[in-house]
Amino acid sequence: MYRRSALGLIGSVPFLGARDALAQAAPGKTLTYGQSTRVTALDPAQGAFATYPGGYEVGYCLFDRLVDFDADLKIVPQLATSWEIAPDVKSVRFKLRAGVKFQDGANFDAAAVKFNVERLMDRERTPTNRPLWDVVGAVEIVDESTVIVRTKDAFSQILNSFAHGSGSMVSPASVAKHGEKGVAQNPVGAGPFMLESFTPGQEVALKAFDGYWGGKPATARLVFKFIAETATRVAALRTGSIDIADSIPVKLVAGLRREAEIEILTRPSLRPLGLVINMANAPFDDAKVRQALNHAVPVKTIAERVFFGFAKASDSPLAFDTQGYKRSSEYEYAPDKAKALLAAAGWTPGADGKLQKGGKSLKLRMLASDGLFPGDVSITEICQRAFQQIGIDAAITKIEGGAYWGELRKERAALNFDVAIFGFNPSNASGLYHLESLFKSNADDAGKLDVWNIGRYRNGKVDELLRQANATVDPAGQNALLGQVQELVWADAPYVWLHVNENVTAIRKGVKGVEVWPIVFTIPRRASA
């Protein structure tokens, strides 16, 4: 027996009217989106669009998924019109939308779903987003319009996996035609726009798909153009060379709001920013030391002054709008309390004022990305000065953004930092996924990461609560478990908790329907002008 999801009872027609109304409008002009990140590949399986967030933003226009997010990141139908989740939370039965065609004319059906999910299950073919797909054990075709996905363990997040960008449905015929590698440059989906041209790393042009099941899009063409420099992106927006620009520095917002032809769109993100603490290194395996680092940093001042109020100091391991968020507390800015905690851990000022223990000074190696996160270098420098003011010998190493992820994911013995700036974006909109990715114990702390538990945090009670949460489909029950996880993690302080930024995008006046999602993405799928 299956328990029917309340969302699964939502019919496709009422949803189409509310969410895809723009898709019914007459075709309009070309809209150009100046992106801050390159798009190099467009296969949701092989590398999940390769670049983030640019590839995903194109992917959400090219492809449809079984389920979608609404404006508040709730799960709603897309290529599946309804679903039923088994009572043991180990399988889900999807009823598929009838009459859907891929952009190459091939039918979308249960066989296509099985083909796509099995691509995602293959770890060698799909090395990224493993927490979303490793749990899937089998896909069964019931009939042409019905498919059952079975999981190895209880997994209440299965719908979030299918709403994630990697859950995009690719035409099996296109993979047969272009090959597993070639499809990344020749993507074919079932979304409202199809590929017109693609110059990897520079530009992607999409055109309206006349056969889209939801009706022809309101915009005739979408062009995604990589423009690395913020000043160049903003200048192009001012002249009308582009219609949309992402990653607008908050210091420019006030001035741009005074310009008649520009509108600013903001949305609080789901990505908390912090300094992950390498707990494999002494003395940072001591909770008192980690808590002291938190009390040393003026997080509210950073949020208010560095980001002009477009950020908010964290009070939980999750961002404020994330599913399952619960306020924990605040680490007040209190240098004296930080010093007292360090003294309790045996660290006292030496003759030079620097903290020492057993004749050795307290050194802190800090790692900063350069341009990967908003204000990353400036934030790290502020934290460095705060640590120095309480007697810690803190030094920063800067790493170029493109190389930063690899630096964080090394084996434990190769890590060359004590704290590193980091922000995790739960792009499937699940707080459970976020907490698991960062705080579930690694299988082997000495080896490479399972997901993003960079600091080698380990708490058996947290692991058990996360397991229970995955087996709990009732939102209230799951949120209660996640609340306990957040309280435990917050007190253990595996991070220097900082703040949650707002996502800021600018558009030309007259452009409608551009969506700024909390999960970092700017989506022009339903845009028009």
Side-chain angles (χ1 to χ4, degrees):
M1 291 293 294
Y2 284 80
R3 185 182 60 78
R4 183 173 293 275
S5 164
L7 287 173
L9 296 174
I10 298 175
S12 60
V13 175
F15 173 68
L16 178 63
R19 180 74 167 152
D20 277 336
L22 287 176
Q24 308 307 305
K29 58 174 267 185
T30 295
L31 287 180
T32 302
Y33 175 9
Q35 293 178 296
S36 58
T37 54
R38 300 178 188 273
V39 178
T40 59
L42 288 167
D43 181 1
Q46 304 249 13
F49 307 121
T51 55
Y52 193 93
Y56 278 80
E57 292 171 331
V58 177
Y60 276 112
C61 299
L62 266 171
F63 299 102
D64 272 8
R65 291 145 290 134
L66 294 187
V67 293
D68 191 14
F69 295 121
D70 71 6
D72 297 315
L73 297 185
K74 299 294 191 298
I75 305 294
V76 291
Q78 197 167 71
L79 291 177
T81 57
S82 63
W83 52 86
E84 297 171 294
I85 298 175
D88 62 2
V89 203
K90 289 186 177 181
S91 64
V92 56
R93 178 192 295 259
F94 289 103
K95 188 68 177 177
L96 306 181
R97 190 177 299 278
V100 174
K101 297 282 187 180
F102 285 106
Q103 294 147 1
D104 58 3
N107 291 327
F108 168 76
D109 54 18
V113 174
K114 181 177 173 66
F115 172 85
N116 275 274
V117 176
E118 288 180 346
R119 287 186 85 216
L120 294 166
M121 291 166 62
D122 185 343
R123 293 179 65 93
E124 291 189 11
R125 179 190 283 117
T126 313
T128 55
N129 298 305
R130 295 318 314 163
L132 304 178
W133 304 109
D134 277 344
V135 72
V136 177
V139 188
E140 299 174 9
I141 296 174
V142 177
D143 56 42
E144 189 176 79
S145 63
T146 311
V147 65
I148 296 174
V149 178
R150 299 193 185 278
T151 57
K152 301 168 188 173
D153 300 300
F155 189 60
S156 60
Q157 304 173 67
I158 189 64
L159 295 178
N160 294 79
S161 292
F162 281 102
H164 186 265
S166 62
S168 298
M169 296 288 114
V170 175
S171 167
S174 71
V175 178
K177 178 178 179 180
H178 298 290
E180 286 287 350
K181 300 297 184 183
V183 73
Q185 312 301 322
N186 300 276
V188 177
F193 292 92
M194 60 190 296
L195 188 69
E196 181 179 277
S197 63
F198 184 16
T199 306
Q202 298 181 38
E203 183 177 295
V204 184
L206 308 181
K207 61 183 179 180
F209 173 38
D210 291 344
Y212 183 56
W213 63 265
K216 194 168 184 178
T219 298
R221 295 175 74 243
L222 288 176
V223 176
F224 297 80
K225 186 175 295 187
F226 172 58
I227 306 176
E229 296 297 326
T230 300
T232 307
R233 261 192 337 277
V234 172
L237 189 71
R238 283 178 168 136
T239 62
S241 298
I242 63 174
D243 303 284
I244 307 164
D246 71 337
S247 297
I248 301 298
V250 293
K251 64 183 179 182
L252 301 181
V253 169
L256 290 172
R257 278 179 167 160
R258 291 194 291 268
E259 299 189 24
E261 297 303 316
I262 292 177
E263 182 179 348
I264 297 293
L265 306 178
T266 66
R267 187 85 182 267
S269 80
L270 300 188
R271 183 174 65 186
L273 206 63
L275 300 177
V276 58
I277 301 172
N278 184 356
M279 296 171 60
N281 292 348
F284 308 105
D285 54 350
D286 187 332
K288 290 187 180 69
V289 174
R290 299 194 301 270
Q291 291 163 359
L293 295 181
N294 274 278
H295 284 296
V297 178
V299 291
K300 288 186 177 179
T301 300
I302 293 173
E304 293 167 3
R305 297 186 183 178
V306 176
F307 294 101
F308 299 85
F310 287 92
K312 186 177 178 182
S314 293
D315 61 7
S316 166
L318 294 181
F320 308 98
D321 295 332
T322 306
Q323 296 171 12
Y325 158 82
K326 180 183 178 183
R327 184 184 186 279
S328 297
S329 62
E330 294 180 5
Y331 280 98
E332 61 176 329
Y333 175 50
D336 288 342
K337 184 177 288 188
K339 292 177 182 178
L341 282 164
L342 290 167
W347 293 93
T348 56
D352 59 359
K354 292 184 178 179
L355 295 172
Q356 58 82 36
K357 182 178 181 181
K360 293 184 178 181
S361 62
L362 178 49
K363 294 183 180 294
L364 184 67
R365 299 172 301 168
M366 306 180 69
L367 199 65
S369 58
D370 192 351
L372 189 61
F373 303 108
D376 42 15
V377 172
S378 297
I379 294 164
T380 309
E381 290 173 344
I382 292 170
C383 293
Q384 177 193 30
R385 290 193 291 272
F387 298 143
Q388 289 170 340
Q389 287 172 4
I390 63 170
I392 297 175
D393 184 2
I396 297 175
T397 298
K398 298 176 187 176
I399 302 290
E400 186 272 327
Y404 194 69
W405 302 119
E407 197 68 26
L408 298 181
R409 295 187 65 86
K410 290 180 177 178
E411 295 179 355
R412 183 175 61 191
L415 296 178
N416 293 311
F417 64 85
D418 300 308
V419 301
I421 195 164
F422 183 68
F424 181 81
N425 177 48
S427 50
N428 73 343
S430 167
L432 175 52
Y433 172 58
H434 188 145
L435 294 169
E436 278 193 310
S437 296
L438 270 62
F439 306 116
K440 181 180 178 181
S441 298
N442 292 309
D444 177 13
D445 279 336
K448 291 188 177 181
L449 306 180
D450 295 341
V451 193
W452 285 107
N453 186 350
I454 302 163
R456 275 62 179 181
Y457 176 73
R458 183 171 290 272
N459 184 322
K461 178 64 173 174
V462 166
D463 292 341
E464 174 57 21
L465 288 167
L466 290 171
R467 187 198 65 77
Q468 292 177 30
N470 255 322
T472 304
V473 74
D474 170 60
Q478 185 179 98
N479 288 347
L481 293 164
L482 297 185
Q484 293 180 59
V485 170
Q486 290 164 79
E487 290 174 353
L488 289 168
V489 171
W490 187 261
D492 285 340
Y495 275 68
V496 178
W497 313 108
L498 295 175
H499 56 267
V500 179
N501 290 96
E502 290 195 31
N503 301 318
V504 183
T505 291
I507 61 174
R508 297 281 298 177
K509 282 285 177 65
V511 175
K512 306 295 183 185
V514 175
E515 300 168 16
V516 179
W517 288 7
I519 48 175
V520 179
F521 308 135
T522 294
I523 307 295
R525 175 186 172 107
R526 284 169 276 271
S528 65

